[in-house]
Amino acid sequence: MNGAELGAVLTGTGLLWLAGFGVFALACRWSAAEPHRLRDARRIAAWQRVGPWLLAASSLLAVAGAGLLVVG
């Protein structure tokens, strides 16, 4: 696997994670008005606390992959 192939894989993975995180964030916003069981509310809150880290990691992955595509 050369640099361009690795860059394409990393960029695709990072963008896919970003899209998935975007769908999750929208779903959390839309369901915010609905009453949740305590367990579900805690689970959603835990994912929302981890959200910025996931966003940063997936963005870094996409940028690193794009950099490999340019160089490779």
Side-chain angles (χ1 to χ4, degrees), residues 17-18 20-22 24-25 28 41-59:
W17 284 4
L18 281 171
F21 179 71
F24 172 73
C28 285
R42 285 183 182 158
R43 187 179 316 139
I44 290 170
W47 276 105
Q48 286 176 334
R49 282 191 301 273
V50 176
W53 292 100
L54 291 175
L55 182 66
S58 57
S59 298

Side-chain angles (χ1 to χ4, degrees), residues 19-47:
F21 179 71
V23 169
F24 172 73
L26 280 175
C28 285
R29 292 283 180 205
W30 286 337
S31 72
E34 299 175 6
H36 293 289
R37 294 182 308 196
L38 185 58
R39 190 176 103 200
D40 294 335
R42 285 183 182 158
R43 187 179 316 139
I44 290 170
W47 276 105

